[in-house]
Amino acid sequence: MNALAWSKCVRTGRLFGTSWMLTAALVGGCQAERPSDRVDPYSEPGPATLNDPGVSPRTLLEFTDQVNQSLADRIPTITEIRSAPQKVVLAGGAITNRTRTPSNDFLAVRSKIFSTMVNSNVAQHAIILDNIEDMDEQVNRYAQQGGPDRLDEGGGGGGLASARYDPAIVYILNGEFSEISRAAGRDSTYIFNWKLVSLKTSQVVYADTVTSTQTRTR
């Protein structure tokens, strides 16, 4: 027990003035001083994480936060989106991973970005779709008109699809993650790119690049 914790326990005990209450206060107060089992994901990575060949979780989270802020700031100002006669459609696109980091990490990043957009001012300007393939599967599972009970695992599908939109109002958010590696993989520079592309014209209407470096001791 550190000095601060002991001091707090003693003061709590004096407040009650009886031996059994002193004991209870000591136990309760000291338990409150135990460090939390939760670890701040933004804290400095430990040696094991730092020496992993993949990008650190802290870097991924900071990158995600930066992209979220950029999307919230920029999307409402994009002329094609601001002047559209109706809400545009913003959908998740391809993720290209050219790093030694597992691709599932970047899928988690994309999911976090889309969850944040749904709860930001971006939703005032866009219908946000995360993964349309998953939605197609769920439409076929649960929304077949005149089909069998979709809770019946043996039921067949009829090829229904979720709603489709005019390509003129659809924009795809693509991610590209690259790594420049030196010193036998100990020094890495990560380049994270996001691009919002018009489905109809292939025009890039928004792009953001975040870079980060990571040095390993072995």
Side-chain angles (χ1 to χ4, degrees):
M1 183 190 314
N2 59 40
L4 178 60
W6 174 255
S7 174
K8 287 182 178 179
C9 291
V10 170
R11 284 198 300 271
T12 306
R14 285 175 180 167
L15 187 63
F16 292 97
T18 63
S19 60
W20 71 270
M21 286 187 176
L22 173 59
T23 302
L26 284 170
V27 172
C30 293
Q31 285 179 342
E33 291 299 321
R34 290 179 181 173
S36 171
D37 291 335
R38 299 180 62 186
V39 178
D40 180 5
Y42 292 90
S43 62
E44 290 288 345
T49 300
L50 188 62
N51 288 314
D52 190 277
V55 63
S56 74
R58 175 184 176 178
T59 298
L60 281 175
L61 288 173
E62 289 177 343
F63 152 73
T64 304
D65 292 343
Q66 189 165 339
V67 171
N68 282 332
Q69 187 61 55
S70 177
L71 286 168
D73 291 342
R74 293 275 301 282
I75 284 182
T77 70
I78 296 171
T79 302
E80 293 83 354
I81 293 176
R82 188 181 67 247
S83 61
Q86 63 189 97
K87 278 189 175 183
V88 302
V89 176
L90 199 159
I95 295 181
T96 304
N97 178 17
R98 298 191 178 95
T99 76
R100 292 174 290 168
T101 307
S103 293
N104 280 344
D105 288 8
F106 297 115
L107 292 175
V109 164
R110 185 178 74 174
S111 179
K112 190 173 190 297
I113 287 173
F114 272 80
S115 294
T116 302
M117 281 197 295
V118 168
N119 295 295
S120 74
N121 62 344
V122 174
Q124 299 175 17
H125 305 272
I127 298 169
I128 299 170
L129 307 177
D130 187 358
N131 191 324
I132 199 165
E133 288 79 11
D134 287 349
M135 293 304 300
D136 284 346
E137 180 183 349
Q138 292 176 31
V139 166
N140 279 314
R141 181 170 178 80
Y142 297 112
Q144 288 241 36
Q145 295 181 356
D149 182 356
R150 299 315 301 163
L151 296 180
D152 178 5
E153 294 295 336
L160 288 180
S162 53
R164 292 299 188 266
Y165 300 90
D166 181 354
I169 64 168
V170 176
Y171 294 85
I172 308 298
L173 188 63
N174 296 317
E176 182 178 287
F177 305 89
S178 302
E179 176 184 1
I180 300 172
S181 181
R182 294 292 186 271
R186 290 192 296 273
D187 291 333
S188 295
T189 298
Y190 294 102
I191 303 172
F192 306 121
N193 287 309
W194 282 106
K195 295 179 181 178
L196 189 62
V197 183
S198 167
L199 185 62
K200 182 177 181 179
T201 67
S202 298
Q203 177 187 3
V204 177
V205 298
Y206 158 90
D208 194 19
T209 299
V210 182
T211 60
S212 179
T213 59
Q214 187 170 324
T215 301
R216 302 166 181 85
T217 58
R218 55 179 170 82

